Amino acid sequence: MSTPSDRFRRVAADFTRVVGAVPDDAWDAPAPPEGWRARDVVGHLAEWFSGLFFATWGDPAPPLPSVEDDPAGTWAALRDAVQAVLDDPDRADVVREIPPGPMTRAEAIDRLGSSDIVMHQWDLARATGGDERLDPAEVHALLAEMEPLDEVLRSSGHYGPRVEVAADADEQTRLIAFIGRQP
């Protein structure tokens, strides 16, 4: 059975491959969601992870290079800091009350953080002309988890309106459309 640490390692490796393929001159390319640049995808993850998965658990934000100067370095430092937390039971197993309820830091990173990385991997690849293919098992699991929560997720403001796709669209296309992106 996969642990939150194992899953994060896998999804982070996939995201790292996309980051590593970004040409230096593509970091300012427009990215989904509207108004973002490719580097903003990494910046979002750095800001959100630092606040939710570090500050909420009483840890200082990890020291990260500026996303404006070194987006790949920002991602690498964030990835390593999160992995270190997940590999340390004294830090990973601490419970805090967060929306959607009390959970360990490892559970929170798994349910919220790793899932976000998968979706934003597509955003970064789309922005920079990279490989947009996502792990089919991750896509299947995310779609199965998210579709029943459509109204709740939509009302959170974190997802745009669902984009209509053909009824026989593959799961990745359906997931990307579900989160409000144009596949």
Side-chain angles (χ1 to χ4, degrees), residues 106-121:
E107 291 169 325
I109 292 169
D110 190 49
R111 287 185 60 194
L112 306 172
S114 291
S115 298
D116 207 43
I117 290 169
V118 172
M119 291 180 277
H120 286 303
Q121 176 185 328

Side-chain angles (χ1 to χ4, degrees), residues 48-85:
W48 187 64
F49 271 63
S50 293
L52 181 58
F53 304 125
F54 288 87
T56 300
W57 269 265
D59 284 346
L64 306 174
S66 163
V67 74
E68 289 301 319
D69 297 334
D70 184 7
T74 301
W75 166 250
L78 178 66
R79 175 200 63 215
D80 294 349
V82 172
Q83 193 67 61
V85 165

Side-chain angles (χ1 to χ4, degrees), residues 154 159-163 175-182:
R154 214 75 51 216
Y159 301 94
R162 181 192 295 242
V163 173
L175 174 66
I176 297 307
F178 179 87
I179 64 172
R181 310 293 199 267
Q182 185 65 48

Side-chain angles (χ1 to χ4, degrees), residues 1 59 86 117 142-143 151 165:
M1 182 174 167
D59 284 346
L86 289 169
I117 290 169
L142 283 171
L143 199 56
E151 187 176 312
V165 294

Side-chain angles (χ1 to χ4, degrees), residues 87-134:
D87 291 341
D88 178 357
D90 290 338
R91 296 170 71 198
D93 295 341
V94 176
V95 176
R96 292 284 188 269
E97 179 69 40
I98 64 167
M103 60 183 72
T104 68
R105 185 168 11 190
E107 291 169 325
I109 292 169
D110 190 49
R111 287 185 60 194
L112 306 172
S114 291
S115 298
D116 207 43
I117 290 169
V118 172
M119 291 180 277
H120 286 303
Q121 176 185 328
W122 184 88
D123 292 334
L124 184 59
R126 172 59 58 106
T128 61
D131 182 358
E132 296 178 11
R133 289 174 295 167
L134 301 175

